[in-house]
Amino acid sequence: SALRLHQRLPQVQFNRQFLGLFLMEDSAHYLFFSIIFIFTGPITLVLVPVVLFSVLHFASYSLTILDTLGQNSWWGARMLISLVELQSRNILRMVAFQEIFLMPFSVIMIFAGKTSLATPFLYYRFLSMRYTSRRNPYCRTICHELRLAVEAMAHNPQRPVWAKNIIYKGITAVSSLAPVLEAQ
């Protein structure tokens, strides 16, 4: 994350414009993600987004190295890399779902004694940055798909009215927490 930030951002400056650029970078989001969970107890689910992004970056960099070595070098590795690249959209969707799932999970982990009370609030800030990301729309997409799935569950004719009301109030509460997107 720090290396990508160094590549994408101009010379470090201590002003509001640089801070705005810094906070809009996806690499900064994952730097915050790592800092949030470094002070918590060991939670294996936190590693899933980091490992999946590592697989994507490893595949990309390995392909660059193999291209430098020549077209016919290590065809087996090229096939594995092409498989990762073919599934990159699904991997990014899985990362986004994991990011969203970690929000209620971080609240539950307070009661298990694994996280502090501040962790869900800090994680909410991370999740709102991911939701408003310019480069990665998958968090917004997965949030929308989850909302549609829950609404479809509420529309089931066999669902009791009181359950429908709870579901719709939950949707309204969660939707009110979503950050406002800037016009692009």
Side-chain angles (χ1 to χ4, degrees):
S1 293
L3 179 61
R4 287 241 185 233
L5 280 172
H6 178 68
Q7 292 171 344
R8 290 184 178 155
L9 291 177
Q11 183 70 26
V12 176
Q13 301 168 0
F14 294 103
N15 59 29
R16 188 176 183 147
Q17 181 183 10
F18 180 79
L19 181 65
L21 287 173
F22 178 79
L23 292 176
M24 288 193 316
E25 281 297 324
D26 288 356
S27 299
H29 303 168
Y30 273 94
L31 189 60
F32 291 143
F33 179 86
S34 300
I35 291 170
I36 290 169
F37 288 105
I38 200 166
F39 298 111
T40 65
I43 303 171
T44 308
L45 286 175
V46 170
L47 298 176
V48 172
V50 176
V51 168
L52 291 174
F53 271 122
S54 297
V55 168
L56 287 174
H57 292 305
F58 176 76
S60 174
Y61 186 68
S62 297
L63 189 59
T64 304
I65 290 174
L66 290 175
D67 285 342
T68 304
L69 292 175
Q71 287 294 334
N72 294 328
S73 61
W74 294 27
W75 63 269
R78 285 185 184 276
M79 284 182 52
L80 287 174
I81 292 168
S82 66
L83 177 66
V84 169
E85 288 180 341
L86 182 68
Q87 295 298 323
S88 65
R89 184 170 185 254
N90 291 333
I91 292 171
L92 290 170
R93 289 172 52 83
M94 192 182 325
V95 167
F97 180 79
Q98 188 70 26
E99 290 169 353
I100 295 165
F101 178 75
L102 278 173
M103 183 64 205
F105 190 75
S106 67
V107 173
I108 292 168
M109 287 291 103
I110 291 173
F111 301 111
K114 298 274 187 180
T115 62
S116 70
L117 190 57
T119 302
F121 293 104
L122 294 172
Y123 193 75
Y124 169 74
R125 292 300 306 149
F126 163 78
L127 203 54
S128 64
M129 286 189 290
R130 296 300 297 153
Y131 188 85
T132 57
S133 174
R134 293 178 297 160
R135 283 198 177 108
N136 189 344
Y138 293 101
C139 190
R140 276 189 307 277
T141 304
I142 294 297
C143 282
H144 180 69
E145 289 175 6
L146 286 173
R147 179 181 179 156
L148 292 178
V150 172
E151 285 176 347
M153 185 175 68
H155 284 302
N156 186 343
Q158 296 174 345
R159 186 94 38 229
V161 175
W162 62 269
K164 288 181 182 185
N165 290 338
I166 291 173
I167 291 171
Y168 287 130
K169 286 179 183 177
I171 290 171
T172 303
V174 171
S175 296
S176 69
L177 294 174
V180 178
L181 294 174
E182 297 176 14
Q184 295 181 5

